[in-house]
Amino acid sequence: MRCLRTKLEDELLKEKEHVEAIRAHILRDAEALRGNVRPSNDYTETVLAAILQNQSRELIKSHRQPHFARIFFKEHGRAVKEDAYIGRFGIFERETLQPIVLDWRSPIANLYYDDSFENVSVEVDPKHPLTFDLERKRQFEFRDGSLEAFYDSENGALIDRLLLERLSARSGDKLQDIVETIQAEQNRIIRADARENMVVQGVAGSGKTTIALHRLSYLAYQKRNNAAHTQFLVIAPNRVFLDYIANVLPDLGVEGVTQFTWEDLTHHLLPKKTKFASEERKRALFFEETDNGKCEEQRVTVLAARLRGSMAFAKLLERVVEKVAKQMVPDADLVLSPRHQMTKEEIARRFFEDYRYEPYLKRRKRLLDSLSRFAQDAIKDEIARFDKRLTKGKYADALEQSAKIRAAIEERYERFARTVKNIDIYALYRKVLMSENNVSRVLATLSDDTELNEQTKRYVLTRYADSDSSWEWEDSAALLFLTRQFHGFASDTRFAHMIVDEAQDLSAFQIFVLTKLSPNATLSIFGDISQSISPYKGLTSWDEVTRDVFLDRASYKTLEQSYRSTVEIVTFANRALRHHQTPGIPLAKPVLRHGAEPEILKTSEAQEVALLIELIGRVQSEGFKQIAVIEKTMAACSAMQERLQKEASYALPLLSEKTERYEGGLHLMPIYMSKGLEFDAVIVLNPSANAYDANSSLHAKLLYVACTRALHRLYILQKDSLTPLLK
């Protein structure tokens, strides 16, 4: 036993010495790189300097922890044994280009993340994949920059010790990278082919957001020598979420990623400033206490939203655009003079063939520009012909006649130009929705409830009869689609890959618009139908995306393991979903990390504020810093905030849509603002039978989202009868 312990100690000492040798190399290399960076006005030298500076930054980032793993392996069928260290960034000898530490994104590093030890395929060269066998995998544990221990696994799954340690840690105010603990199911999504579109259904806590960002880092590494293939776009649910993930990509070596919420992207792309109505009215309609009198209004609102977000509506608009485009060019020749005429066939050829890669209003401008030049040439030619016929002494008549020739041709051109139609996309869209035939046709594809369809049709026709009314966010996909067809999108929308997070709250039409945003881009779409809590705008099934948007040409992957919460919290949260589980969508399977059972604390209206303050203090005294107090609605949050201030002079900051920077710590928030975030402890306020209807799948999802935000502690502060959804 003593010999074994000494052997392990000797091995640890060697690893520590190796770490120090790498650190010395890093310092030398970083200094050499800085010495090679010189100011220059030359473009090539400037680009080279930027590359050297980036390499220097990556080296410095690696100094504290040069690597996190080591693999011992050999090529299948061969006897020669090899080993390699794996870190966040690659480190190599510059003279020989021999690797010292492999980048986690490199092909060989896949041996560490794969869940097999034998016949592991590695595509060093895609045309000639190699197969390797692993002897063992080693994980290193660093604390405060010092190597403390290592753990080996042999002939089995990767040790969960480091994963469990990371999951047991306290949450931070920003999302962290997971390069040390990427699991095999996550790794397969991260390393999926960049050329394929992908839809990922992942349960709460499965790491969807982190996987999405690591996928961008992996793709950037694969295409690092081609700048055109490293232009990325991230679509996130709100600005708080964007701030929450802000640190991950730079830490993974990815800079300059374009990040938008759907709302910001819409405003960025529309041709003019456009006012959209707040969604507070709809949230109140669906999230406030149950009122049977509102059921019909809810059903109509949902169907009206599905109408405008459906691919059936998108196809209708495609047909409308095609029809309108054919009418933009008049079915007539342009006759400027007997000698200067352009046939309608030639005009149509220019518009529909020569300019076919342009959006329609840009085609219109190009056509009118070309016709204007044709008119100017005609003027010059006709005046020149007249001048040749002039006799001496007729100069005054020449000026007058030249002016008449010019005016006549210009007038004929202007008259014709007015028949080349201009299109107002807003008026066109309103006209489409004011057509009973259009609305009825699409509704028939969505519902077979005749009475509901008729009510919805009346709602839509009434809603869009007022030309001064503001638009709703359900209209944004159609307006962006028409913008793309008639105005085109800006040149800064050329992306190689797009990540869409929390995609279950987008419509199929919105995702379809994203496919049109950048012609050659592929998309990775992440979401959870079980967390679709906006019935007036979200998806009901991934089939709407895989089948209707991508026409079955997108891969579909699932993540069923939840890594965020303890077994006890996930089991508790799953109670709500079991009542209304979406067919084909699995419940979360918790990783084997146990903790305290969720607590249901009963109170009264009079004691609620005091007990909440006491509970917050207790949680903070246990060392938990990231704490969310969650209510169902924003109105309920505001009411509780006022009560805390009035009854106890206690200030509890509110996280709302107006919040742009997430500072972490203690916050009060509505459920919809908590999505995608995670906290050490969560306190859910009064999920009563009155507020959360046992027959409502929406209310079940709301509770599921609220409960699954918790990593370590979950509390239910209950003053009324508990909803059956949690019993």
Side-chain angles (χ1 to χ4, degrees):
M1 191 70 172
R2 172 63 185 164
C3 292
L4 177 61
R5 188 162 55 246
T6 302
K7 183 178 180 181
L8 291 175
E9 289 172 350
D10 288 346
E11 187 74 10
L12 179 59
L13 181 60
K14 290 179 182 178
E15 293 289 8
K16 287 182 176 181
E17 291 172 349
H18 186 70
V19 168
E20 294 309 315
I22 296 175
R23 284 174 171 163
H25 171 85
I26 287 172
L27 294 177
R28 289 194 304 271
D29 228 13
E31 184 62 32
L33 286 170
R34 284 194 293 268
N36 289 330
V37 176
R38 298 181 180 85
S40 173
N41 293 325
D42 181 77
Y43 175 76
T44 302
E45 291 188 8
T46 301
V47 171
L48 178 60
I51 293 172
L52 293 176
Q53 287 174 335
N54 185 57
Q55 290 177 350
S56 178
R57 282 195 298 270
E58 290 183 357
L59 279 170
I60 296 302
K61 286 180 180 179
S62 299
H63 185 267
R64 184 176 177 83
Q65 184 177 344
H67 54 72
F68 56 80
R70 185 181 181 186
I71 50 176
F72 301 83
F73 61 96
K74 62 180 181 178
E75 191 174 345
H76 186 69
R78 295 192 177 186
V80 179
K81 294 183 178 181
E82 301 179 70
D83 70 286
Y85 289 88
I86 301 169
R88 281 176 171 76
F89 301 103
I91 304 170
F92 56 90
E93 290 283 359
R94 298 200 170 271
E95 293 78 13
T96 63
L97 298 182
Q98 287 297 309
I100 299 171
V101 175
L102 296 176
D103 193 296
W104 71 273
R105 299 164 290 187
S106 64
I108 291 294
N110 189 51
L111 296 175
Y112 171 70
Y113 295 115
D114 199 278
D115 51 4
S116 176
F117 275 65
E118 296 180 351
N119 295 319
V120 182
S121 180
V122 173
E123 289 189 359
V124 178
D125 179 354
K127 295 180 180 179
H128 305 286
L130 302 175
T131 305
F132 294 87
D133 298 324
L134 276 88
E135 177 186 335
R136 66 185 185 276
K137 303 175 183 180
R138 174 171 292 177
Q139 295 175 315
F140 295 99
E141 182 179 336
F142 283 79
R143 291 179 185 167
D144 299 323
S146 175
L147 176 58
E148 295 293 324
F150 66 81
Y151 311 106
D152 284 354
S153 61
E154 300 178 8
N155 300 321
L158 186 63
I159 285 177
D160 285 329
R161 182 194 295 262
L162 196 60
L163 172 64
L164 291 172
E165 182 180 303
R166 296 292 183 270
L167 296 178
S168 300
R170 301 291 192 259
S171 173
D173 62 344
K174 302 292 182 184
L175 195 66
Q176 304 298 315
D177 71 65
I178 58 168
V179 293
E180 299 177 51
T181 58
I182 294 171
Q183 300 300 289
E185 63 171 0
Q186 299 172 327
N187 182 57
R188 284 188 277 272
I189 293 172
I190 290 170
R191 294 175 183 260
D193 194 327
R195 296 167 295 181
E196 73 174 10
N197 293 302
M198 179 169 55
V199 175
V200 180
Q201 158 62 37
V203 300
S206 57
K208 296 183 294 296
T209 301
T210 314
I211 293 168
L213 301 181
H214 283 65
R215 175 156 173 74
L216 283 191
S217 177
Y218 173 76
L219 295 178
Y221 178 84
Q222 296 298 305
K223 303 294 183 180
R224 60 194 179 279
N225 295 323
N226 189 336
H229 287 85
T230 57
Q231 302 301 308
F232 302 127
L233 171 68
V234 172
I235 301 293
N238 52 58
R239 293 178 186 176
V240 169
F241 190 88
L242 287 175
D243 185 60
Y244 179 63
I245 67 175
N247 291 343
V248 176
L249 287 172
D251 284 349
L252 292 172
V254 185
E255 303 285 349
V257 173
T258 303
Q259 301 179 56
F260 278 119
T261 65
W262 174 265
E263 291 77 10
D264 289 341
L265 179 70
T266 299
H267 287 304
H268 178 68
L269 295 176
L270 287 178
K272 68 178 184 180
K273 188 174 182 180
T274 306
K275 182 180 179 181
F276 289 90
S278 168
E279 292 192 343
E280 282 304 306
R281 170 71 184 87
K282 289 194 182 72
R283 289 200 187 99
L285 175 63
F286 288 94
F287 295 170
E288 297 293 354
E289 293 185 0
T290 305
D291 180 355
N292 291 330
K294 292 182 178 179
C295 288
E296 285 304 311
E297 184 182 356
Q298 290 177 342
R299 294 175 69 210
V300 168
T301 302
V302 168
L303 188 54
R306 289 188 63 206
L307 161 74
R308 290 167 288 171
S310 68
M311 282 305 296
F313 189 54
K315 297 303 180 186
L316 170 67
L317 279 183
E318 283 186 326
R319 293 192 295 271
V320 168
V321 168
E322 186 177 349
K323 181 178 178 180
V324 168
K326 289 179 179 178
Q327 298 169 350
M328 289 180 69
V329 180
D331 186 27
D333 298 339
L334 171 60
V335 180
L336 300 175
S337 76
R339 287 165 296 278
H340 299 89
Q341 302 180 30
M342 188 178 293
T343 65
K344 59 185 180 183
E345 290 79 13
E346 169 63 14
I347 294 170
R349 184 189 63 77
R350 293 188 182 194
F351 187 83
F352 291 107
E353 295 182 27
D354 293 358
Y355 312 144
R356 64 184 177 277
Y357 297 112
E358 299 273 18
Y360 288 116
L361 289 180
K362 288 186 177 179
R363 295 191 203 185
R364 178 180 183 273
K365 184 179 185 307
R366 290 192 63 178
L367 177 65
L368 290 177
D369 287 345
S370 70
L371 297 182
S372 177
R373 290 192 296 271
F374 180 68
Q376 293 303 314
D377 290 342
I379 290 170
K380 291 178 183 177
D381 186 58
E382 288 298 323
I383 290 175
R385 285 176 175 274
F386 174 74
D387 286 345
K388 287 181 179 179
R389 298 195 302 269
L390 281 179
T391 58
K392 292 181 179 180
K394 297 289 186 179
Y395 183 75
D397 291 345
L399 291 177
E400 182 180 348
Q401 188 61 30
S402 295
K404 288 181 179 180
I405 292 171
R406 177 179 295 277
I409 293 178
E410 287 181 345
E411 192 276 331
R412 291 169 194 145
Y413 163 74
E414 292 293 342
R415 187 167 63 242
F416 185 89
R418 286 193 292 271
T419 66
V420 182
K421 291 183 180 178
N422 197 2
I423 302 297
D424 180 335
I425 64 167
Y426 297 88
L428 174 61
Y429 177 54
R430 198 179 294 276
K431 183 178 179 181
V432 170
L433 286 174
M434 287 301 294
S435 164
E436 290 192 42
N437 186 45
N438 287 338
V439 175
S440 297
R441 193 184 311 167
V442 178
L443 286 175
T445 69
L446 303 176
S447 167
D448 55 7
D449 187 327
T450 305
E451 183 179 348
L452 177 61
N453 288 359
E454 190 62 31
Q455 288 177 324
T456 305
K457 182 174 70 175
R458 288 199 300 269
Y459 168 84
V460 172
L461 295 176
T462 303
R463 173 71 178 77
Y464 293 96
D466 182 5
S467 60
D468 294 326
S469 61
S470 60
W471 301 102
E472 295 182 313
W473 280 108
E474 293 91 312
D475 300 311
S476 59
L479 291 174
L480 283 179
F481 175 75
L482 293 175
T483 297
R484 192 255 185 189
Q485 298 299 96
F486 288 99
H487 293 272
F489 292 143
S491 58
D492 61 356
T493 60
R494 301 297 177 184
F495 301 107
H497 196 78
M498 290 182 265
I499 293 288
V500 186
D501 205 1
E502 299 290 343
Q504 74 277 355
D505 286 333
L506 297 180
S507 68
F509 196 177
Q510 285 174 294
I511 294 173
F512 177 69
V513 167
L514 290 175
T515 68
K516 302 297 182 183
L517 188 61
S518 191
N520 299 317
T522 50
L523 284 82
S524 293
I525 295 168
F526 294 80
D528 181 10
I529 296 296
S530 295
Q531 297 183 68
S532 181
I533 60 172
S534 299
Y536 52 90
K537 65 177 181 179
L539 294 166
T540 59
S541 159
W542 289 118
D543 286 345
E544 297 177 63
V545 178
T546 56
R547 181 193 63 210
D548 301 337
V549 175
F550 292 112
L551 305 177
D552 294 323
R553 290 195 291 269
S555 63
Y556 178 75
K557 304 179 187 297
T558 59
L559 294 166
E560 300 182 20
Q561 191 79 48
S562 177
Y563 299 96
R564 175 189 296 138
S565 308
T566 61
V567 171
E568 292 75 14
I569 291 172
V570 173
T571 302
F572 185 87
N574 279 344
R575 289 184 190 177
L577 281 188
R578 288 187 190 280
H579 295 271
H580 299 281
Q581 188 173 357
T582 304
I585 304 298
L587 293 175
K589 299 175 182 177
V591 72
L592 291 178
R593 179 174 71 89
H594 287 277
E597 287 283 352
E599 292 185 44
I600 299 177
L601 305 173
K602 294 184 178 180
T603 185
S604 64
E605 177 77 17
Q607 296 298 319
E608 184 181 23
V609 166
L611 183 56
L612 175 58
I613 295 172
E614 179 187 330
L615 181 57
I616 291 171
R618 171 159 52 112
V619 173
Q620 290 175 327
S621 70
E622 294 182 43
F624 297 114
K625 296 180 180 179
Q626 313 302 327
I627 304 169
V629 179
I630 297 181
E631 258 286 14
K632 186 181 178 186
T633 66
M634 184 62 75
C637 285
S638 299
M640 176 53 73
Q641 191 180 42
E642 290 179 13
R643 284 187 62 195
L644 286 164
Q645 184 64 46
K646 183 178 180 180
E647 297 177 26
S649 298
Y650 188 92
L652 185 56
L654 179 63
L655 196 69
S656 71
E657 286 183 309
K658 296 179 181 178
T659 308
E660 295 197 7
R661 188 164 183 78
Y662 179 64
E663 302 292 349
L666 171 66
H667 278 90
L668 173 66
M669 67 193 70
I671 293 174
Y672 71 87
M673 283 301 300
S674 73
K675 282 178 48 179
L677 305 180
E678 58 184 34
F679 307 90
D680 294 322
V682 167
I683 302 170
V684 181
L685 297 180
N686 200 33
S688 66
N690 190 36
Y692 293 88
D693 183 359
N695 296 315
S696 169
S697 62
L698 168 62
H699 292 174
K701 290 177 180 180
L702 286 168
L703 283 174
Y704 177 73
V705 170
C707 293
T708 53
R709 301 308 96 199
L711 278 80
H712 309 295
R713 298 287 189 275
L714 175 61
Y715 303 92
I716 307 296
L717 203 59
Q718 196 66 39
K719 64 182 180 182
D720 299 317
S721 176
L722 183 68
T723 173
L725 289 168
L726 293 179
K727 290 183 179 179

